[in-house]
Amino acid sequence: MDRVMRQEELQEVFDQLLRDAMGKLAGIRLARLETAPSGDVCTVWVKFERGFRSSLALCAQSSVFTRLTQFMTQLDTVAPGDVEDVTKEFFNVLCGQICSRLYQETKITSRFGIPAFCHGRYQGESLKEQFTLCYSSERNEYTELIHQIPAAE
């Protein structure tokens, strides 16, 4: 039987999976905050193609994605194209974990599309933020995970 998740449950799932992935795959420890990132930020985002009608975006100061790339590639110097590619692959892995957990919780089969990357803060067309989870790294770098739903709902 399909089960609907309350927003608080969904936030808890996203929070746990993001912090675990950032720690294990990127070596970055995140702590929850109440403020959003500012300054030089980039965003990687994706839409659900099946199962749920929403999108997920990870917005962070550029230094977070650079550190993520350096950690995952084991290189001290990384090109901007590498940062984009590695960040999208990281987000793809995270979204796969999210789909798996959501299926365990709801029995709804879901699938994300291909992640996209942009400089700046992305806000999807015809979407509104349902909730945003804000974080700070151990180096005081800001990150946020944004769950967006269709604006008409």
Side-chain angles (χ1 to χ4, degrees):
M1 177 158 129
D2 295 349
R3 180 177 89 80
V4 176
M5 292 182 75
R6 293 185 340 266
Q7 181 172 318
E8 296 79 19
E9 292 176 300
L10 195 57
Q11 288 175 332
E12 190 174 308
V13 166
F14 288 173
D15 176 59
Q16 177 191 16
L17 292 174
L18 175 63
R19 291 207 272 176
D20 286 351
M22 288 295 274
K24 291 176 184 172
L25 300 176
I28 298 172
R29 291 186 324 267
L30 296 177
R32 288 289 296 272
L33 280 181
E34 296 302 319
T35 60
S38 61
D40 180 28
V41 297
C42 296
T43 306
V44 60
W45 78 95
V46 70
K47 288 184 180 181
F48 275 105
E49 289 184 340
R50 182 178 60 193
F52 295 91
R53 293 176 22 100
S54 63
S55 295
L56 199 58
L58 182 64
C59 181
Q61 289 178 313
S62 299
S63 59
V64 171
F65 292 145
T66 299
R67 283 203 307 136
L68 178 144
T69 303
Q70 290 168 327
F71 188 88
M72 292 182 74
T73 62
Q74 297 297 300
L75 298 171
D76 291 331
T77 304
V78 293
D82 294 334
V83 172
E84 183 176 328
D85 290 343
V86 170
T87 299
K88 289 191 300 190
E89 186 56 37
F90 167 81
F91 199 58
N92 193 47
V93 170
L94 174 63
C95 290
Q97 293 173 348
I98 287 171
C99 284
S100 177
R101 177 67 69 81
L102 292 179
Y103 179 77
Q104 290 172 5
E105 298 288 333
T106 66
K107 303 303 182 218
I108 296 172
T109 303
S110 60
R111 182 175 68 207
F112 279 102
I114 297 170
F117 185 92
C118 73
H119 294 276
R121 191 172 195 282
Y122 172 79
Q123 173 63 47
E125 291 183 33
S126 303
L127 296 172
K128 66 178 181 179
E129 290 183 19
Q130 182 181 33
F131 61 82
T132 300
L133 304 174
C134 298
Y135 302 90
S136 178
S137 74
E138 69 280 5
R139 294 186 186 176
N140 292 321
E141 301 159 310
Y142 297 103
T143 302
E144 65 183 0
L145 186 65
I146 307 157
H147 186 248
Q148 300 173 332
I149 58 175
E153 292 184 5

